Amino acid sequence: MKLDELFEILLSDKPSELIKENEDKIFSMIPELNDCKGFDQNSKYHIYDVYEHTLHVVDNVPKKIELRLAALFHDIGKPITYFEDELGNGHFPKHWEESRRIFENFAKRYNLNNQLAKDISYLIYYHDVDFSRSDSLILDIVEKIGYDNISDLFVLKKADVLAQSSKYHYQVDDIEKLNNTLKRGI
């Protein structure tokens, strides 16, 4: 499969369906995605394995290649970073770093535009940041990635939450409030 074919799939109305129909080709491009299939997260936050969760996130972001690629790669490092605690709960410490590394290798292999790759890399790296810790954290990240990317980051975070257990969907309101605050200027 060529990169433009992957982009066409990702920018379709329901990319998860086309991803599933083309799994063999996509897994040959992105073998780490195959590792996500059937990988149980063993977490109260998640109702899907890593792969199904990822497909829901991809479907839930707007048709923008930056967002769709970031969604596809955002948790791809989870199988590599996984460990279970003594209670059997799954944890993925710094999975965002591994996910970003996997994406950056993909971007180099397929000669992705440097600015596009950089923007997506930021979205992947910061997708799991808890912004409720401080306003200065948000400002630091805006300074690093730019205002346009922070808006995309909030979109990705919202889609990520909506692809988790409905018990945690209340976090979407927090994300939207934060985004609105940022738009008004902190």
Side-chain angles (χ1 to χ4, degrees), residues 7 10-11 15 19 54-75 103 112 116-117 119-124 127 145 148-160:
F7 282 16
L10 289 174
L11 293 174
I19 291 169
T54 296
L55 295 181
H56 282 278
V57 177
V58 172
D59 280 348
N60 287 332
V61 295
K63 287 184 189 182
K64 185 176 177 183
I65 198 60
E66 293 91 331
L67 285 168
R68 295 273 170 100
L69 276 169
L72 187 65
F73 282 89
H74 83 285
D75 280 349
F103 169 73
L112 224 56
L116 178 65
D119 292 345
I120 294 165
S121 180
Y122 281 138
L123 293 173
I124 293 166
H127 84 273
I145 72 173
D148 289 340
N149 286 329
I150 201 77
S151 295
D152 282 348
L153 182 59
F154 286 125
V155 169
L156 179 61
K157 287 177 75 61
K158 182 178 171 182
D160 192 20

Side-chain angles (χ1 to χ4, degrees), residues 36-90:
C36 296
K37 191 171 182 179
F39 198 97
D40 191 348
Q41 301 194 62
N42 294 316
S43 168
K44 65 182 181 178
Y45 299 102
H46 289 282
I47 54 176
Y48 303 112
D49 67 28
V50 178
Y51 182 66
E52 287 297 325
H53 165 76
T54 296
L55 295 181
H56 282 278
V57 177
V58 172
D59 280 348
N60 287 332
V61 295
K63 287 184 189 182
K64 185 176 177 183
I65 198 60
E66 293 91 331
L67 285 168
R68 295 273 170 100
L69 276 169
L72 187 65
F73 282 89
H74 83 285
D75 280 349
I76 202 165
K78 280 188 166 184
I80 296 167
T81 62
Y82 180 80
F83 82 91
E84 282 184 20
D85 63 23
E86 61 280 352
L87 300 174
N89 297 312

Side-chain angles (χ1 to χ4, degrees), residues 3 14-16 51-52 54 60-61 76 79 83-84 96 123-124 132 137 139 163-164 166 171 173-175 181-182:
L3 190 61
K14 187 79 169 166
S16 62
Y51 182 66
E52 287 297 325
T54 296
N60 287 332
V61 295
I76 202 165
F83 82 91
E84 282 184 20
W96 51 89
L123 293 173
I124 293 166
S132 67
L137 177 62
L139 295 175
Q164 297 175 12
S166 61
Q171 295 174 0
D173 293 335
D174 297 338
I175 293 166
T181 300
L182 187 63

Side-chain angles (χ1 to χ4, degrees), residues 84-100:
E84 282 184 20
D85 63 23
E86 61 280 352
L87 300 174
N89 297 312
H91 300 277
F92 308 92
K94 298 186 179 184
H95 73 275
W96 51 89
E97 290 179 1
E98 192 63 31
S99 297
R100 179 172 71 173

